[in-house]
Amino acid sequence: MSTVKERLLEFLKEERISASEFTKKMGLSSTYIASMRKSMPEEKVERLTQLYPQLNRDWLLYGEGKMYRPEIVTKGIEPYRLHRHMVPLVPTQAKAGSLDFYAESVNEENCPRIYSPSPDARLAIQVNGDSMEPHIQNGAYLFLEKINEKSFIPWGSPLVLDTENGSVVKLLYPSEKGENYLLAKSYNPNYPPFVIPTESIYGIYRILCQMKEGVTF
């Protein structure tokens, strides 16, 4: 039977993570792994599984099951990529502003993490509704980065708005009411356009990519 130390080293090798990179991320001394004798303290195991959610905790501690959690295998994601591209999944009903910069009522530690195929994404949401079909389907996961709306807004492109009434996915255009308003349109013709005051918008986000299914933790 292998030891926790041996299984940890096996995991790091599989993930292509050096011992120095691991101990730095974990906030440990550079000699921590070499000095391991038995199992890891609970607080360190908790930190480890937060950093590498793809790791099967039971395998690490007891040698039970496989190295990776079953959902990683079934989704066909290269495990070594996973920990490098995990972002917070913000609830679409979140209101009024600050997961770093999104919704004050949402804290990052309270959000599940989701694998992002884009390394530039900062956060993700799941679409609720069919107003943007057929191009953005109900239930799709959108991976986002914030844009500087004061310098440039990509008019006519689908964007995610963080507003005082929650998050919405719309096509944005200048409004005839003036610079303090934006016109929001849907792909689905069953949803009429509407005007949004800019003062009610906390952030505008570019959609980098979308997935029909996501791997969350």
Side-chain angles (χ1 to χ4, degrees), residues 8-207:
L8 175 60
L9 289 171
E10 183 181 349
F11 171 73
L12 296 180
K13 181 179 179 180
E14 186 69 23
E15 290 282 306
R16 309 178 191 180
I17 302 169
S18 67
S20 60
E21 177 186 351
F22 171 75
T23 53
K24 183 177 180 179
K25 283 190 174 183
M26 287 282 292
L28 303 171
S29 69
S30 59
T31 59
Y32 179 82
I33 296 178
S35 63
M36 284 182 65
R37 291 294 179 267
K38 296 183 179 181
S39 187
M40 301 175 69
E42 180 60 31
E43 66 273 12
K44 290 183 173 58
V45 174
E46 182 69 22
R47 173 65 174 163
L48 174 62
T49 54
Q50 288 177 352
L51 286 173
Y52 308 104
Q54 68 272 39
L55 175 63
N56 184 342
R57 177 192 176 102
D58 289 342
W59 175 83
L60 174 70
L61 297 180
Y62 313 115
E64 298 177 357
K66 303 293 185 180
M67 178 187 297
Y68 293 108
R69 291 173 56 172
E71 55 264 53
I72 302 304
V73 178
T74 58
K75 294 295 181 181
I77 298 172
E78 294 179 87
Y80 79 92
R81 295 184 182 276
L82 193 64
H83 75 279
R84 292 172 170 83
H85 303 302
M86 298 295 290
V87 298
L89 176 62
V90 180
T92 55
Q93 70 273 21
K95 294 183 179 179
S98 158
L99 172 67
D100 185 16
F101 38 63
Y102 197 101
E104 290 175 4
S105 59
V106 179
N107 296 317
E108 182 170 351
E109 58 268 24
N110 296 328
C111 293
R113 311 288 290 185
I114 184 170
Y115 168 76
S116 170
S118 171
D120 296 323
R122 298 291 304 279
L123 69 159
I125 67 166
Q126 188 174 20
V127 177
N128 181 17
D130 63 353
S131 68
M132 296 300 284
E133 291 187 354
H135 302 293
I136 300 177
Q137 297 183 348
N138 181 32
Y141 293 91
L142 306 182
F143 299 88
L144 316 174
E145 69 169 352
K146 193 175 185 182
I147 66 173
N148 184 354
E149 65 272 15
K150 294 182 178 180
S151 61
F152 174 72
I153 296 178
W155 303 118
S157 298
L159 301 166
V160 173
L161 309 181
D162 178 21
T163 80
E164 62 185 7
N165 293 314
S167 57
V168 293
V169 186
K170 295 297 172 190
L171 306 168
L172 282 189
Y173 299 90
S175 171
E176 294 180 353
K177 294 188 68 173
E179 62 181 11
N180 294 325
Y181 298 87
L182 296 175
L183 179 65
K185 294 184 178 181
S186 302
Y187 283 126
N188 189 333
N190 293 325
Y191 292 82
F194 58 91
V195 173
I196 305 177
T198 55
E199 65 181 6
S200 71
I201 299 174
Y202 301 112
I204 301 178
Y205 297 80
R206 179 183 291 108
I207 301 172

